[in-house]
Amino acid sequence: MRDAIIIGGGHNGLVCAFYLARAGLKVTVLERRGVVGGAAVTEEFHPGFRNSVASYTVSLLNPKVIHDMALAAHGLRIVERPLSNFLPLDDGRYLKLGAGKTVSEVAKFSQRDADRLADYSRHLDGAADLLRALVLQTPPNRVEGGWLAALPELIKAGRLGNRVRGMTLSAQRELLDLFTKSAGDYLDGWFKSTPIKAAYGFDSVVGNFASPYAPGSAYVLLHHVFGEVNGKKGAWGHAVGGMGAITQAMAKAAQKLGVEIRTDSAVAEVLLDQGRARGVVTAQGERLDARVVVSNLNPRLLYTKLIDQAALPADFLRRMQAWRCGSGTFRMNVALSELPSFSCLPGRKAAEHHGSGIIIAPSLQYMERAWMDARTHGWSREPIVEMLLPSTLDPSLAPPGQHVASLFCQHVAPTLPDGASWDDHRETVADLMIDTVERHAPGFKSSVLGRQIMSPLDLERTFGLVGGDIFHGALGLDQLFSARPMLGHADYRGPVPGLYTCGSGAHPGGGVTGAPGHNAAREILRDVARGRRLPGLR
Ligand SMILES: Cc1cc2nc3c(=O)[nH]c(=O)nc-3n(C[C@H](O)[C@H](O)[C@H](O)COP(=O)(O)OP(=O)(O)OC[C@H]3O[C@@H](n4cnc5c(N)ncnc54)[C@H](O)[C@@H]3O)c2cc1C
């Protein structure tokens, strides 16, 4: 009999499979699609043009996972962007961030803000360091039972408390701000000029259907800075070959250890026997038994669609049904005959700004309006668009002389008002996104040779992302750390013995990190070692 079945071959499922197999377990991964990788895949979307379909830029992927899985030896190469960000502005000016230029660029708008940058980065990095230290840890969990059961969790909480106590008072204040405030209030407290607040505030609305002035959005900003590229903290880069290069390397690493990967194998049901998970039934009706079942899915999808609801505690089920999902994200890939030329910085020859994250959203107020409009209208008529041109760093993605663009757009409503369907509005909104780029880069529209469109509904249908939620559940304080996915289940174990979660709906949340997969495997192996919950497992 198999030791473990993993439902879903997203990157976290593959990471979990790798660590379980490395410990000697016999593992099968069942993936619904024809390809593994989940939201981190590369596909040809127009003849001769390939790109990352959903997730498109890399930073959060944990260095330990990269090392343990020997991803470089399995073909992964990550390159840094030549410039972090470029913001074309409505008044004909622009802001560049990165490449040693940030201070002089910000000084164009405010010398006072430029003088504050180093202090800001130091404070933000201090908070990000705490997050970095926590991503590979299992959060302190609320447990049932007496003091003996609670003791390990108390020790964990004590260690965390000690770590926070070891920070300076000023760093603790910053941490409190970042965990409780809105990104807008946080950034207003640091800076005066509009473009720098827009550049930094953009991270707070990525995958977060909210105003940058919504309390809690500062955490989403922080969530996007705890990563690194090739050892450079906070940097974002490109995986050569697209995000699929990461998951293809992961699949190879897992298969080398004997993991069986089956694609086109959707799981229809988790099998229970006397209250514990014993295996699965696929959509084709095949029954596969295993000693443990691990889910890479959004927890709401797992617990409301794949399992006998009568087997779940009523309070758990009620809360899982209300697990907050929905990102406000609209994703496009565009095949281009030539690079865009921006009115504020003309030229179609590849320059550093073409290799950056180009943010079309000039202010926090613009972002707030985008959210308010999407709330009532269904999508923002002045949307936030980040555009990357990955073929400038990776010519393998497009025919010679031509390019691909990733458009990552916010805000759109996960579900349209008045019962309207995304199937009827996908093309209109895609046109709007192209027009939004055209406003800053005349001629962009006529350079478009083909396009791939992912509305929230398409993200749900294609990848199983509930409400198009890119993180498998909103990154709000109510759904983070010891509360991810629920108080009492932050240790990757659900209420059904033998059923674990290893996807982004578990700590530390979404992004291509590999961390939930890594941590879940550790907890499963702990149970194996203790012989607890897993009778019969070697
Ligand atoms: C549009 C978009 C842009 C993003 N941009 C970035 C980015 O640039 N950088 C970044 O770090 N993160 C980004 N993210 C977030 C990141 O991609 C995700 O958080 C992460 O990939 C989720 O990984 P996962 O392994 O937890 O789950 P997933 O990747 O969602 O994998 C789950 C897998 O389960 C499969 N599955 C579903 N149902 C079943 C079933 N019944 N049976 C079998 N298999 C099933 C799915 O097909 C999928 O392969 C983005 C996400 C999206 C959607």
Side-chain angles (χ1 to χ4, degrees), residues 7-13 30-33 35-40 53-61 206 236 243 265-268 296-298 301 306 329-331 408 454 459 462-465 468-472 502-505 509-513 516:
I7 309 173
H11 84 283
N12 278 312
L30 299 174
E31 166 56 44
R32 188 173 63 105
R33 298 190 73 217
V35 60
V36 291
V53 179
S55 161
Y56 60 101
T57 178
V58 60
S59 172
L60 308 177
L61 186 57
V206 165
W236 285 82
M243 297 300 274
S265 297
V267 169
N296 182 195
L297 277 46
N298 180 315
L301 186 59
L306 296 191
T329 289
F330 191 94
R331 178 77 173 82
F408 190 44
M454 288 272 161
L459 290 171
T462 310
F463 301 109
L465 297 169
D469 196 305
I470 76 168
F471 300 129
H472 288 198
C502 74
S504 297
V512 180
T513 67

Side-chain angles (χ1 to χ4, degrees), residues 123-137 159-167 171-172 174-176 178-179 219 222 225-226 233 481 507:
H123 275 91
L124 194 63
D125 207 40
D129 273 343
L130 178 72
L131 226 58
R132 282 183 195 110
L134 296 179
V135 289
L136 291 187
Q137 290 186 20
R159 270 199 221 114
L160 173 63
N162 271 343
R163 198 177 175 103
V164 175
R165 232 192 2 254
M167 298 169 85
Q172 288 177 2
E174 207 67 18
L175 202 63
L176 184 66
L178 282 162
F179 275 87
Y219 173 77
L222 180 65
V225 299
F226 73 70
K233 282 183 185 178
F481 203 52
H507 172 75

Side-chain angles (χ1 to χ4, degrees), residues 360-421:
I360 299 177
S363 68
L364 294 173
Q365 287 67 28
Y366 178 101
M367 296 182 206
E368 181 165 62
R369 277 200 308 277
W371 172 72
M372 291 194 295
D373 200 18
R375 289 274 294 179
T376 50
H377 180 70
W379 59 86
S380 158
R381 281 156 292 189
E382 285 192 310
I384 303 159
V385 178
E386 185 188 30
M387 175 165 72
L388 265 70
L389 299 153
S391 48
T392 59
L393 307 177
D394 179 0
S396 75
L397 298 176
Q402 300 186 317
H403 287 277
V404 291
S406 307
L407 303 192
F408 190 44
C409 316
Q410 346 271 323
H411 281 306
V412 301
T415 312
L416 293 175
D418 305 323
S421 166

Side-chain angles (χ1 to χ4, degrees), residues 237-255:
H238 171 74
V240 175
M243 297 300 274
I246 298 174
T247 46
Q248 287 302 312
M250 286 176 167
K252 280 186 205 153
Q255 281 168 321

Side-chain angles (χ1 to χ4, degrees), residues 164-389:
V164 175
R165 232 192 2 254
M167 298 169 85
T168 64
L169 180 59
S170 155
Q172 288 177 2
R173 287 176 177 149
E174 207 67 18
L175 202 63
L176 184 66
D177 283 354
L178 282 162
F179 275 87
T180 55
K181 276 186 171 177
S182 77
D185 287 331
Y186 180 69
L187 291 166
D188 286 343
W190 275 102
F191 302 114
K192 288 258 181 285
S193 60
T194 300
I196 188 64
K197 288 193 267 184
Y200 288 151
F202 169 73
D203 277 343
S204 74
V205 296
V206 165
N208 181 24
F209 188 45
S211 159
Y213 282 95
S217 54
Y219 173 77
V220 184
L221 186 162
L222 180 65
H223 192 86
H224 285 95
V225 299
F226 73 70
E228 60 182 66
V229 171
N230 302 330
K232 192 164 171 191
K233 282 183 185 178
W236 285 82
H238 171 74
V240 175
M243 297 300 274
I246 298 174
T247 46
Q248 287 302 312
M250 286 176 167
K252 280 186 205 153
Q255 281 168 321
K256 199 172 160 198
L257 295 179
V259 171
E260 179 195 19
I261 297 178
R262 294 197 195 175
T263 51
D264 296 310
S265 297
V267 169
E269 190 189 342
V270 175
L271 283 176
L272 303 181
D273 178 19
Q274 295 179 355
R276 54 172 298 125
R278 295 286 183 193
V280 300
V281 181
T282 67
Q284 290 92 349
E286 187 183 358
R287 177 191 167 128
L288 292 101
D289 294 328
R291 293 189 166 93
V292 301
V293 177
V294 190
S295 166
N296 182 195
L297 277 46
N298 180 315
R300 195 165 109 190
L301 186 59
L302 169 72
Y303 286 111
T304 65
K305 295 279 190 271
L306 296 191
I307 197 157
D308 176 11
Q309 305 209 343
L312 301 173
D315 184 55
F316 178 89
L317 180 60
R318 179 179 62 80
R319 288 181 172 278
M320 219 5 100
Q321 285 163 339
W323 175 246
R324 289 190 303 111
C325 294
S327 275
T329 289
F330 191 94
R331 178 77 173 82
M332 292 176 69
N333 285 308
V334 186
L336 298 174
S337 60
E338 58 184 354
L339 283 176
S341 172
F342 293 88
S343 312
C344 62
L345 191 57
R348 295 190 190 279
K349 200 160 159 279
E352 60 178 7
H353 65 285
H354 288 117
S356 73
I358 300 161
I359 298 174
I360 299 177
S363 68
L364 294 173
Q365 287 67 28
Y366 178 101
M367 296 182 206
E368 181 165 62
R369 277 200 308 277
W371 172 72
M372 291 194 295
D373 200 18
R375 289 274 294 179
T376 50
H377 180 70
W379 59 86
S380 158
R381 281 156 292 189
E382 285 192 310
I384 303 159
V385 178
E386 185 188 30
M387 175 165 72
L388 265 70
L389 299 153

